[in-house]
Amino acid sequence: QVQLVESGGGLVQAGGSLRLSCAVSGRIFNLNTMSWYRQAPGKQRDLVASITEGGTTNYADAAKGRFTISRDNAKKTKYLQMNNLKSQDTAVYFCVVDITYSDFTGTPVAVKDYWGQGTQVTVSS
């Protein structure tokens, strides 16, 4: 089993900052690409940023220059630093991790995307 625990969401004024965290635990053989998605009310779920195992990052246009994704492989945790937040950033943010998980012997079994439960970010104008 694999568990993802997100934290760091909340209410912030426009122009403020928040840092989201996502800690991964369980039978993990390898953490592959780690991503953040968000879904605003009435809208589709969109990619915000992603980071590969090697550290290559990718950002949605709306996040470029304001958001920074990072990961700490030793802690099995990833982060999303969000600066200069705008009202249009209000959404539920989801942690997504592509994981090679293992069985009880530590043998890699398969690769699967895991989603966190989501954390609410609300930016007031």
Side-chain angles (χ1 to χ4, degrees), residues 81-100:
Q81 178 67 43
M82 304 185 292
N83 298 326
N84 190 23
L85 283 161
K86 305 175 181 180
S87 58
Q88 51 264 47
D89 294 318
T90 295
V92 177
Y93 285 69
F94 296 90
C95 165
V96 183
V97 185
D98 183 69
I99 296 173
T100 303

Side-chain angles (χ1 to χ4, degrees), residues 18-125:
L18 284 174
R19 189 175 86 150
L20 306 182
S21 299
C22 176
V24 186
S25 62
R27 290 177 180 166
I28 301 165
F29 183 80
N30 196 58
L31 293 177
N32 306 318
T33 298
M34 306 176 85
S35 309
W36 289 96
Y37 281 72
R38 70 184 182 186
Q39 186 168 24
K43 295 189 177 182
Q44 66 181 23
R45 195 171 292 184
D46 293 323
L47 175 68
V48 177
S50 65
I51 183 167
T52 68
E53 183 181 4
T56 300
T57 57
N58 178 54
Y59 295 94
D61 288 342
K64 289 179 181 176
R66 299 187 300 125
F67 294 3
T68 302
I69 189 170
S70 60
R71 59 191 285 168
D72 185 330
N73 291 327
K75 295 182 178 179
K76 295 184 176 61
T77 301
K78 68 172 180 183
Y79 308 94
L80 184 68
Q81 178 67 43
M82 304 185 292
N83 298 326
N84 190 23
L85 283 161
K86 305 175 181 180
S87 58
Q88 51 264 47
D89 294 318
T90 295
V92 177
Y93 285 69
F94 296 90
C95 165
V96 183
V97 185
D98 183 69
I99 296 173
T100 303
Y101 62 94
S102 59
D103 62 16
F104 70 97
T105 69
T107 302
V109 175
V111 179
K112 181 180 176 181
D113 278 346
Y114 288 84
W115 287 70
Q117 78 283 0
T119 185
Q120 177 70 46
V121 171
T122 302
V123 183
S124 63
S125 57

